[in-house]
Amino acid sequence: MKTTKRQKDIIDASIELIAEKGIQELTIKNLSKKIGIVESAIYRHFKSKMDILISILSLFRESKEMMNKELSALEADYTEKLKQMLQKRFTFFSSNPAIAAVIFSEELFRNDRRLSDFVYKIMQYNQKVIIDILENGQQIGEFRDDVPAKELAFMITGALRLVVTQWRIADYSFDLQEEGRRLWKTIEILIQK
Amino acid sequence: MKTTKRQKDIIDASIELIAEKGIQELTIKNLSKKIGIVESAIYRHFKSKMDILISILSLFRESKEMMNKELSALEADYTEKLKQMLQKRFTFFSSNPAIAAVIFSEELFRNDRRLSDFVYKIMQYNQKVIIDILENGQQIGEFRDDVPAKELAFMITGALRLVVTQWRIADYSFDLQEEGRRLWKTIEILIQK
DNA sequence: ATAATGTGAGCGAACATTCACACACGTTTT
DNA sequence: AAAACGTGTGTGAATGTTCGCTCACATTAT
């Protein structure tokens, strides 16, 4: 079930649409207009609109998994690992703003279990990765252990989400990576023993 | 322009609808069904659906302002002020889950400037209040000042939002206030000098 | 009697989706 | 080589649904 060229076109166009004007602009009509075919032709390549969204999310999950493989192969201390991870995520969102729009709109998916499960799982997974790094770092005495890793992770993930969200609301008007670097500086200090 | 009894009914019903099944369920049809009148009757009391949403947000803003008046009247150190503030917000969301659904769905309002501005301003205001407390506390040496207040605020607000969001996604299945208390314990330790 | 409120029918737009049909190919059959 | 056929892709019209909203008319409250 590999994706055909046309399917890739559709996914790309979808991502562009979402990045430009938000997920609400992703309609079959807009999509077909953007590609230059008629609405019904979309259905030659995807069973439903939801399938398109799922494909986008899968794409994200894949790149997420790759990110994490690189991360665990990394020979470095946990501080460095955490830093790399956050940096990678900021870089990713920076060049894929549409994904952020999809990932962070849980509310829109409330009526569709398939989608909301998908989003929720990605969210849980991300958090778990951070918690693991933190706990490992705590155990070997690299991070402070007077606060639970779970709450720390909440603050880190929460801050990341908030920064990205504001970046989108502000129409990408500031440098997300730069803001990410600033955030990291603070996190780094806070988690130190 | 005070709100009539019927207007209050409508707002209450809206909030209930949103709390139950998310903002997507807030339609004029569902609303009228819930109240027990016919769809068109809604328009005797509100000019448009957007006006209903604006009213809900106004309600939130008012209670927010009241919260803050209480807070600044409080004779206490900044740690206590911050604690009170977070606690109040968790308590508020705990008994008004619908507001969280509205406040945290920026994506849905992207195509409506009136609404998105409203939400954005509330968000900015909240953040400013926290930053102020943090900065004041830093100046008198109550909080650590080796990290910028802005980034700290990002982490605090972000964590709050994330916890509330997960609580909603998980269908209110855990005790939000309890989780809030846990989060505070961590924040308190982190900001200490 | 007047104003406030409710009713029921309906409008226009947006939306995802379906369907019968057409055309361009490459492959297979005669 | 010509005819038949399958497959992938696109077209245009149509369907069914939902939505916010309007309007002429009726009922109720003051």
Side-chain angles (χ1 to χ4, degrees), chain B:
Chain B
M1 276 237 228
K2 78 179 226 283
T3 51
T4 65
K5 189 188 162 299
R6 223 7 167 200
Q7 279 177 327
K8 203 180 168 310
D9 289 347
I10 294 174
I11 292 177
D12 287 347
S14 301
I15 289 179
E16 253 183 80
L17 269 176
I18 296 172
E20 283 161 15
K21 299 214 193 150
I23 219 175
Q24 315 239 49
E25 284 298 298
L26 180 64
T27 65
I28 302 295
K29 190 174 202 158
N30 289 348
L31 201 43
S32 54
K33 211 182 299 169
K34 181 147 214 151
I35 300 178
I37 56 180
V38 100
E39 293 180 53
S40 49
I42 301 283
Y43 290 91
R44 293 280 174 213
H45 309 281
F46 282 100
K47 212 177 98 274
S48 70
K49 182 184 167 181
M50 209 174 62
D51 280 50
I52 299 176
L53 278 169
I54 298 262
S55 290
I56 296 177
L57 287 175
S58 301
L59 208 70
F60 173 67
R61 194 177 49 186
E62 272 167 39
S63 91
K64 187 99 240 304
E65 276 161 7
M66 235 171 51
M67 243 187 238
N68 273 84
K69 245 175 222 157
E70 281 176 44
L71 214 67
S72 48
L74 198 71
E75 278 289 338
D77 56 20
Y78 292 111
T79 307
E80 184 61 24
K81 279 191 177 180
L82 192 59
K83 178 186 174 183
Q84 292 282 340
M85 180 187 178
L86 289 178
Q87 205 167 329
K88 267 178 213 272
R89 290 188 68 187
F90 275 114
T91 308
F92 181 80
F93 285 133
S94 189
S95 45
N96 302 277
I99 305 282
V102 180
I103 285 286
F104 296 166
S105 1
E106 306 87 9
E107 187 59 33
L108 281 171
F109 304 144
R110 266 206 126 184
N111 44 7
D112 187 294
R113 193 150 297 158
R114 221 165 115 215
L115 273 177
S116 61
D117 272 11
F118 210 123
V119 171
Y120 189 57
K121 272 185 191 144
I122 290 179
M123 192 156 134
Q124 294 290 85
Y125 174 68
N126 282 339
Q127 223 156 329
K128 197 185 165 314
V129 172
I130 294 188
I131 292 180
D132 284 351
I133 296 181
L134 289 172
E135 278 177 349
N136 286 331
Q138 285 181 329
Q139 263 164 32
I140 65 158
E142 189 176 326
F143 297 147
R144 66 190 300 164
D145 56 2
D146 55 346
V147 289
K150 190 189 160 200
E151 315 299 326
L152 264 182
F154 262 127
M155 295 183 71
I156 295 173
T157 311
L160 177 117
R161 287 173 66 103
L162 183 56
V163 170
V164 175
T165 298
Q166 289 195 1
W167 176 64
R168 284 198 311 111
I169 292 181
D171 257 310
Y172 318 123
S173 64
F174 59 85
D175 185 341
L176 181 61
Q177 297 195 56
E178 175 57 32
E179 193 53 53
R181 255 172 262 130
R182 262 199 286 277
L183 186 61
W184 167 249
K185 265 192 216 160
T186 294
I187 293 175
E188 186 179 20
I189 297 174
L190 286 183
I191 59 178
Q192 262 169 26
K193 190 133 200 178

